[in-house]
Every structure is written in structure tokens, then in C-alpha cells.
Amino acid sequence: MLKRIVLATAAVAALSASPVKAEETTTILNASYDISRELFAAITPKFVEHWKATTGKDAKVDLSFAGTSRQAQDIIQGKKVDTVTFNQVTDIEILAKRGLVKSDWQQAFPNNSSPYYSTTAFLVRKGNPKNIRNWDDLVRDDVKVVFPNPKTSGNARYSYLGAWLYANEAFKGDDAKTKEFVGKLLRNVVNFPTGGRAATVAFAQNQQGDALLTFESEVINIARSAEYASYGFEVVVPPVSVLAEFPVAVVDKVADARGSRKLATDYLNYQYTKEIQELLTTFNYRVHHPEVVEAVKGQYAPVRTIDPTKVLGTWDEIQEKHFATNGIVDELLAQRR
């Protein structure tokens, strides 16, 4: 009898460790940025249909939304996320440094693992009463601004970097004048919510500020939405702004443990297909697929985008100098008090 119990226990242990069972995983969790709810609510059902059509199997993709820095910290603390579709490279780099994502993650998918991109633009009130046209208008004494906290939101980091890159050009690389300019902008911020969706609510519903800074795609989506149509919001795309890439990655440690790598990889690859690249343009993101780019070339305002890494160093250097504890952002935010 004892021998039978030992054998049965061994059989159960072998089954629980079986890689075959792990490979049958049909559910993944994707963590994304705060304002991407509608986008991924549209992408995900299409992917599930695509997966069924190509593999004959059912799949489920669960979705999680928050500021990407918060998402990254949740993953570090043990949240079982299979894929990330973020709006900030540094938040995936943090995962890579913790061994959750491979160090060469940007080579895993095309365009530095960025299926689409955007830039920072401004949403202003009907008639643009403060005549806000460019970054320098945002530092005027009569202008108040809303955007998320750069310490918690990838969206806000691009707004911050857009202002910094503009000032860096205007002041010919003078760091002191650039810092003073960005400090003035931060002092003009009337609300620093943790994520982009809360910033929209503060500006649009609570009537705070004269301009909302966020991704061009979100600015256009808000202005054209039925929810806010009566407000008459207007879109302002400054002539020079920041290149905002939207990086994606498989969370390798989780995907390998759960046996979800194929499903996770296909989910991210699907975002590069012509069908989804076309869908992305309906949400006013800029894309890479050449046929789609040609088809929508008149859809977007002209803007010269600046890649932060071409001017300010690597993302690690940008993170350390600007966003790390006791970095420039902390210094400038302290001056608001």
C-alpha cells in the first residue's frame, strides 16, 4: 500500500511539472498605460478571432490599465503579467534590469519593439482664448496647465521631455535656462494626477487649467468624442515636439513560467499587421506600415519630432538625470511648494 501511495504522489508531481500542460495556456494578461482602454478593447477581440482562425484554439486576453511606472512596480512586486504595451521605454528597462524581461527586448519586434508612436500635443478650450500655440505659451503667467505627474506617468514624462527639448533648442543647449523654462511650466500646472485619464477628467470635467498636455492621439480623441463634443475643445500640435514611442515586450519570466510565450508573442506581433495598423490610425496614433502611412498621410498635423535619446543620452541616462530620486524632476517639483 505504501508503495502505491509513493508512486501515485510521484505521478501527480510529474503531471504538475509537465511542460505539456504549461504549453496549453490559453489566457494572458496584458498591462498597458492609463489612457489605452478603448484602444485595447478594440484590438483584443480582433486578436482572439485571429488566433482562433489561425490555430483553431480559443484564447483570452485580460487587460490591466494604469500609469506605466505603477504597472512596472506591480510586476516587480509579483503581478503575473505576460505582456506589456507601455508608453515609456524606461518602464520596460526597469523590468529588464530585474530579470523579468530580456535585456535585448527591443530587438524582439520591429521598430525597436514599438508598433506605433505619437507626440505631445495640447488640448485647449473653445476658441483657444489664451492663444496657446507653442511651448513658450505654457510658461506665461496667465496660463495654467494640467498633465499627470512625471514620477508616475509615462505620458507625463513625454510632456516634460517635450518642454525640455523645446527649451534646449531655444536656448542652444544652455541647461540652466532650459531648467528654468521647465520649472516655470511645472509651476503653472494646477493638477498632477497619477495617470492620463485622471488628467483628462480634471481638465474636461472639472474645468481645471487652460491646456491639457497629453499624447496627440489622446488630444484628438477627446476633442472628437461624443462625450466632450459640447465643450468645443481644440487641438494644438506645436511645430516641434517629442517623439513618443509605444514599446511592447513579453514579460519573459512570467511567460516561460506559465507556458504563454507563443500566445504572448503572437499578441504583440499582431499589432504590426496591416489590419491593426489601420485600426491604430482611427485612434489617431502614427504607425509604421508603409501602405497605411501612405493612406493616412493627410490625417496628421505637420510636426518635427525629436527623439530624446538623440539629444539627452540613453534612456538610462535620461532616467537617472531627470526622473530618478533627487533628479531634476524632484528638484523642480520641490520648488513648487
Side-chain angles (χ1 to χ4, degrees):
M1 177 65 71
L2 177 62
K3 185 175 181 180
R4 287 182 182 176
I5 293 174
V6 171
L7 289 174
T9 302
V12 169
L15 283 172
S16 65
S18 170
V20 174
K21 185 175 181 180
E23 288 297 332
E24 293 174 354
T25 299
T26 59
T27 300
I28 59 173
L29 175 60
N30 179 61
S32 199
Y33 50 99
D34 195 39
I35 59 175
S36 66
R37 289 170 173 80
E38 291 80 7
L39 172 64
F40 283 95
I43 289 176
T44 300
K46 290 181 178 294
F47 170 74
V48 170
E49 292 177 5
H50 164 79
W51 178 263
K52 178 72 171 181
T54 55
T55 68
K57 299 178 181 178
D58 294 320
K60 182 183 180 185
V61 180
D62 292 322
L63 302 171
S64 170
F65 302 100
T68 58
S69 295
R70 175 182 165 186
Q71 292 276 37
Q73 288 304 314
D74 286 348
I75 295 168
I76 289 168
Q77 292 169 14
K79 186 174 182 178
K80 301 303 181 185
V81 171
D82 303 88
T83 58
V84 293
T85 52
F86 280 178
N87 57 17
Q88 185 76 26
V89 169
T90 53
D91 289 322
I92 300 183
E93 283 294 319
I94 290 169
L95 300 180
K97 288 177 180 178
R98 296 299 184 98
L100 292 158
V101 172
K102 292 179 181 177
S103 60
D104 62 348
W105 64 271
Q106 284 189 296
Q107 280 70 60
F109 300 95
N111 304 310
N112 290 323
S113 290
S114 175
Y116 54 100
Y117 65 102
S118 190
T119 189
T120 296
F122 316 148
L123 188 69
V124 299
R125 303 201 181 278
K126 185 176 182 178
N128 194 4
K130 296 294 180 74
N131 194 30
I132 296 168
R133 302 295 177 187
N134 209 339
W135 292 97
D136 52 357
D137 293 313
L138 302 178
V139 302
R140 292 179 359 221
D141 292 339
D142 65 326
V143 171
K144 298 301 177 185
V145 179
V146 175
F147 69 93
N149 191 325
K151 297 290 287 185
T152 58
S153 167
N155 175 341
R157 289 180 187 177
Y158 279 115
S159 294
Y160 168 91
L161 289 172
W164 189 279
L165 290 166
Y166 169 83
N168 179 74
E169 277 198 354
F171 298 119
K172 303 185 186 319
D174 187 319
D175 262 9
K177 291 182 178 179
T178 299
K179 186 188 293 186
E180 181 183 6
F181 179 93
V182 177
K184 286 181 181 178
L185 173 58
L186 294 181
R187 287 194 293 276
N188 279 352
V189 176
V190 293
N191 193 314
F192 267 131
T194 58
R197 188 51 52 93
T200 299
V201 170
F203 176 80
Q205 296 181 9
N206 299 339
Q207 296 292 298
Q208 296 180 7
D210 304 298
L212 170 69
L213 274 60
T214 184
F215 293 120
E216 173 194 46
S217 52
E218 179 72 355
V219 167
I220 298 171
N221 291 340
I222 295 168
R224 294 179 180 175
S225 70
E227 181 179 2
Y228 297 117
S230 62
Y231 291 82
F233 294 137
E234 298 181 15
V235 175
V236 175
V237 180
V240 177
S241 196
V242 62
L243 171 66
E245 295 182 300
F246 288 71
V248 302
V250 174
V251 183
D252 297 286
K253 188 172 183 179
V254 174
D256 289 340
R258 296 190 64 247
S260 61
R261 176 168 293 279
K262 178 171 172 52
L263 182 59
T265 301
D266 283 10
Y267 180 64
L268 298 182
N269 269 323
Y270 186 61
Q271 294 174 36
Y272 290 87
T273 64
K274 184 179 179 182
E275 177 186 20
I276 299 305
Q277 293 275 289
E278 289 173 337
L279 175 65
L280 286 159
T281 67
T282 69
F283 285 86
N284 299 296
Y285 290 101
R286 299 182 185 232
V287 298
H288 300 286
H289 193 290
E291 293 178 34
V292 181
V293 170
E294 179 63 23
V296 300
K297 61 183 179 182
Q299 179 173 326
Y300 304 96
V303 58
R304 176 169 61 86
T305 58
I306 303 175
D307 182 343
T309 64
K310 303 298 184 186
V311 178
L312 305 178
T314 66
W315 279 112
D316 277 348
E317 292 168 338
I318 293 170
Q319 171 69 21
E320 183 64 27
K321 179 177 179 178
H322 293 271
F323 303 113
T325 301
N326 298 322
I328 293 175
V329 170
D330 278 350
E331 176 187 344
L332 297 179
L333 289 177
Q335 292 173 7
R336 286 170 41 88
R337 302 189 184 104

